Amino acid sequence: MAGESGPVDRPERCHHCQKPMDSPIGCLSCHTIYPSSSELTHFDRLGLPTQFSLALPDLERRYLAWSRELHPDFYQTRTAEEQAMSLKLSAALNDAYSTLKDPVRRAEYLLFLFEGPTAAEHRSMPEGFLEEILELRMEIDEAKEEGLLDSPSVQGLRDRIKRERDEVMGTIGEMFRQIETSAEPPATATLATIREQLNTVKYRDGLLRELSSCGV
Ligand SMILES: [Zn+2]
């Protein structure tokens, strides 16, 4: 995994107060922050296991605890070095939080950690998918031209796209779960399948955004 390529300094207990630490970036008990290694992943920083499935309230709680901890007001009397470090950590935490709270971005990030293909490297879609999208697009365009966007059939279309999109996200979650619970490194073919499925989610999200911008 890309995030595990080098040795990472992750004291399980704080060097200062010896209390167990929630995250390698610092200790919430004695308010010490540790120089953050660039090797840390978004999951590491928030003290979370590297997995797709996560509880959003837990993610939020961890993020808010660290946001408070790193608030500039608490650093006014600290050294310039500590102030700079806290600002850098804040930015890294904001990035970690916004990436992990969104399931699509989280899946993208996990795919990156597992060294799977990027969207640019692997553009293919499941067979028949583009034809399906084209048909949906034509139906939407027709409804637009005829001023029928608020008709039950267009709302049904939106619900169907949403349902299919959610089903695909469920499949992606299940595929990640299998990777995460396996002792073997993920197969290239599995990562390529996740990429294809993720590509379809982006297409469907594009249609949903378009419908939403028209008030559907
Ligand atoms: Zn401590």
Side-chain angles (χ1 to χ4, degrees), residues 14-19 21 27-32 34:
C14 175
H15 294 322
H16 293 264
C17 72
Q18 309 305 321
K19 295 224 172 90
M21 297 206 328
C27 172
L28 288 170
S29 303
C30 71
H31 311 291
T32 303
Y34 286 85

Side-chain angles (χ1 to χ4, degrees), residues 148-159:
L148 294 171
L149 278 173
D150 56 353
S151 72
S153 71
V154 175
Q155 284 161 18
L157 204 65
R158 176 204 59 202
D159 293 347

Side-chain angles (χ1 to χ4, degrees), residues 39-110:
E39 294 288 338
L40 292 179
T41 69
H42 292 330
F43 292 98
D44 295 332
R45 289 197 175 92
L46 285 156
L48 291 165
T50 308
Q51 62 183 40
F52 182 73
S53 165
L54 60 75
L56 283 178
D58 182 45
L59 173 71
E60 188 118 325
R61 184 187 60 77
R62 289 165 183 273
Y63 171 66
L64 289 178
W66 278 105
S67 295
R68 274 195 298 271
E69 183 72 20
L70 296 169
H71 196 280
D73 285 355
F74 296 131
Y75 281 82
Q76 280 175 4
T77 56
R78 305 276 192 108
T79 65
E81 194 191 352
E82 283 177 310
Q83 287 182 6
M85 200 155 77
S86 74
L87 283 177
K88 215 173 132 196
L89 263 181
S90 272
L93 273 170
N94 288 339
D95 195 16
Y97 176 66
S98 62
T99 303
L100 297 187
K101 79 173 172 182
D102 172 3
V104 174
R105 290 188 63 190
R106 193 190 319 142
E108 280 283 354
Y109 184 65
L110 267 177

Side-chain angles (χ1 to χ4, degrees), residues 161-196:
I161 298 170
K162 174 86 172 62
R163 191 175 60 245
E164 286 170 351
R165 175 237 189 256
D166 290 348
E167 278 168 14
V168 173
M169 282 310 292
T171 306
I172 289 172
E174 180 54 30
M175 291 176 85
F176 274 125
R177 200 187 61 77
Q178 283 174 13
I179 290 175
E180 290 151 11
T181 53
S182 165
E184 302 293 320
T188 310
T190 308
L191 295 174
T193 305
I194 294 179
R195 162 53 58 203
E196 282 182 17

